[in-house]
Amino acid sequence: MSIATNMKRATIGGLAAAVAALAATPALAEVEIETAYVFNTFSFLVSGFLVMWMACGFAMLESGLVRTKNTATICLKNIALYSVAGIMYYLIGYNLMYVGVDAGWIGSFSIFYDGSLDEAALAAEVADVGYSTMSDWFFQMVFVATAASIVSGTVAERVKFWPFMIFTVVLTAVIYPVQASWTWGGGWLSEMGFSDYAGSTLVHSCGGWAALVGAILLGPRKGKYGADGKVTPMPGANLPLATLGTFILWLGWFGFNGGSVLALGSAAAAAEMSIVYANTNLAAAAGVVVAIFMTQIMYKKIDLTMALNGAIGGLVAITAGPALEFSFLAIIVGGVGGALVVIAVPLIDKLKIDDVVGAISAHLVAGIWGTLCVAFFGGGDLVAQITGIVAVGIWTVVTSAIVWGILKVTIGIRANEEDEMIGLDKAELGMEAYPEFGSGSSSM
């Protein structure tokens, strides 16, 4: 019986009895090694498939925020990038991120990651590791797919499919794993004291930087910005779908942050995971509420898309430090994350950087804020946090610029004007997502 339960049941007259009951409560039982192994592995697997479900969330969110003529293409990109991320992380990425980093800058270039075990190896894994190594591989793999999904939404409606997929190969095989190894692989940033619990910088800002570079080199969609600097709205075709996608992402984030406790084999781990779940939810809710109030004040109308991105901004912000014991701080972190999204979206438009879904604001800007919050509210080292933000930013911008640049001067990265006008669904896929409502309906 917990202290909280005992105190709730105690009355003023029965306080002495409650205190006596607490004194008689036995110490927490020690968990057997194999039992802990099972629970830790179970946590990785369940959290991993929750994060995998975020791939669906990104697909639905992006499908709702693009125009109908590009919907099938964005769906294809999301299922393709998830598949490519899994294969490349198996072939190269995991070893670069975790094997032989040893406080350095990069892991092993060995090919393939194989976690198959015989009986003796399984026994050693149970005793020494405490969880299935393949469950850990699966959990880490779905994170790299998230980083690639961020890029997809930003460059939508004008990037060609094959150049985008080539960039995804490099991002998931090399760019993401190398910078993540600096912290999660025990690299130099970890030694410095940089902390990023579940990836505000390592996942979300990394994806945001790559998306920013891609958007700049691609240029804006035709007609998005006028010569006088006026921004022409290009509203998404299906806001209910975008809302569904946001709720799916919100659900998946419990696995994203909760699974990053990296254990469930003890009462302490279960308690920490519960705190992380609660703080994640509070931060997202605060991001929504702040975005609603800010858009009402700024535009005299409430903007649904801003509210959706406010939720994501709050989620991204809390991701770097979701284990805050004082949960009201999670509301502050998430609320500011939502506010930053509302401020950053029009600012990025003023810079004529065309971000179709607002991913740069929600993932990059809110990710930087959340990483700083580890120092502000979580006791982290501010210098180490700033160093990590800058280092990941420089690495991702430089490598992304090289890859996008090579693709641009060789095979080209942008659809031609005619293809952009008719939509990439017909130009690259030869189909329409909604044929009964598009041009295809005229032939029926």
Side-chain angles (χ1 to χ4, degrees):
M1 188 179 296
S2 70
I3 293 175
T5 301
N6 275 315
M7 295 307 291
K8 285 176 184 176
R9 290 181 178 178
T11 63
I12 294 176
L15 185 58
V19 172
L22 284 174
T25 301
L28 294 174
E30 183 178 349
V31 178
E32 292 185 2
I33 293 175
E34 186 169 352
T35 302
Y37 176 93
V38 171
F39 275 100
N40 292 338
T41 298
F42 178 79
S43 176
F44 276 129
L45 294 175
V46 172
S47 298
F49 72 61
L50 278 173
V51 180
M52 183 272 171
W53 189 231
M54 291 174 70
C56 174
F58 279 113
M60 296 301 97
L61 175 63
E62 294 169 22
S63 295
L65 294 180
V66 300
R67 292 167 289 180
T68 55
K69 61 184 180 180
N70 296 300
T71 305
T73 302
I74 206 70
C75 289
L76 174 63
K77 286 175 182 173
N78 273 275
I79 195 168
L81 71 85
Y82 178 82
S83 304
V84 167
I87 293 171
M88 297 314 301
Y89 199 64
Y90 166 72
L91 293 177
I92 301 173
Y94 188 89
N95 287 329
L96 279 179
M97 187 167 162
Y98 283 110
V99 179
V101 182
D102 299 330
W105 294 77
I106 195 170
S108 169
F109 273 101
S110 55
I111 304 298
F112 305 124
Y113 177 75
D114 190 357
S116 59
L117 301 167
D118 57 24
E119 187 173 345
L122 175 59
E125 185 178 76
V126 171
D128 299 333
V129 180
Y131 54 82
S132 163
T133 54
M134 284 309 291
S135 72
D136 175 60
W137 176 88
F138 173 63
F139 182 65
Q140 302 301 336
M141 182 278 290
V142 291
F143 274 55
V144 66
T146 298
S149 296
I150 296 166
V151 183
S152 170
T154 293
V155 300
E157 300 204 306
R158 75 272 198 203
V159 70
K160 293 193 290 186
F161 177 79
W162 287 113
F164 171 77
M165 293 311 304
I166 293 171
F167 179 81
T168 299
V169 167
V170 180
L171 175 66
T172 56
V174 179
I175 297 176
Y176 170 87
V178 169
Q179 57 87 32
S181 76
W182 300 344
T183 303
W184 291 340
W188 68 278
L189 278 178
S190 176
E191 292 295 305
M192 177 181 286
F194 176 74
S195 177
D196 191 356
Y197 196 101
S200 287
T201 285
L202 303 185
V203 179
H204 297 282
S205 288
C206 175
W209 286 119
L212 176 63
V213 174
I216 291 172
L217 291 180
L218 266 174
R221 289 167 290 175
K222 184 174 177 59
K224 176 66 175 178
Y225 304 113
D228 58 354
K230 181 180 178 181
V231 179
T232 302
M234 294 181 172
N238 194 328
L239 294 187
L241 199 61
T243 304
L244 173 64
T246 302
F247 273 118
I248 292 173
L249 289 171
W250 194 327
L251 173 65
W253 231 287
F254 295 124
F256 201 96
N257 289 354
S260 295
V261 174
L262 304 181
L264 190 57
S266 68
E272 182 175 337
M273 189 176 293
S274 301
I275 292 170
V276 169
Y277 267 57
N279 289 347
T280 298
N281 197 63
L282 287 170
V288 172
V289 172
V290 169
I292 288 173
F293 276 106
M294 286 187 66
T295 53
Q296 177 69 67
I297 294 169
M298 294 169 64
Y299 306 118
K300 311 304 179 187
K301 301 284 185 181
I302 303 170
D303 189 321
L304 170 60
T305 61
M306 285 291 194
L308 300 179
N309 270 325
I312 296 172
L315 289 163
V316 169
I318 199 62
T319 293
L324 294 165
E325 293 186 5
F326 183 34
S327 292
F328 183 74
L329 292 175
I331 296 176
I332 296 175
V333 173
V336 173
L340 289 172
V341 170
V342 176
I343 294 168
V345 167
L347 177 60
I348 289 172
D349 264 338
K350 287 183 180 179
L351 297 173
K352 295 187 177 181
I353 299 172
D354 188 7
D355 179 1
V356 177
V357 301
I360 296 171
S361 302
H363 295 273
L364 174 56
V365 176
I368 291 172
W369 159 248
T371 306
L372 293 174
C373 286
V374 174
F376 298 154
F377 305 123
D381 185 327
L382 182 59
V383 173
Q385 294 305 105
I386 293 173
T387 301
I389 291 168
V390 173
V392 171
I394 292 173
W395 163 258
T396 308
V397 166
V398 171
T399 53
S400 296
I402 291 171
V403 178
W404 281 123
I406 291 173
L407 290 170
K408 184 174 182 177
V409 301
T410 52
I411 61 176
I413 59 177
R414 179 166 184 146
N416 62 47
E417 188 172 319
E418 180 182 354
D419 288 350
E420 185 178 346
M421 186 66 64
I422 66 172
L424 299 182
D425 287 3
K426 293 185 69 175
E428 292 201 307
L429 277 61
M431 63 175 62
E432 296 175 281
Y434 308 106
E436 293 183 352
F437 302 99
S439 59
S441 62
S442 61
S443 62
M444 296 181 181

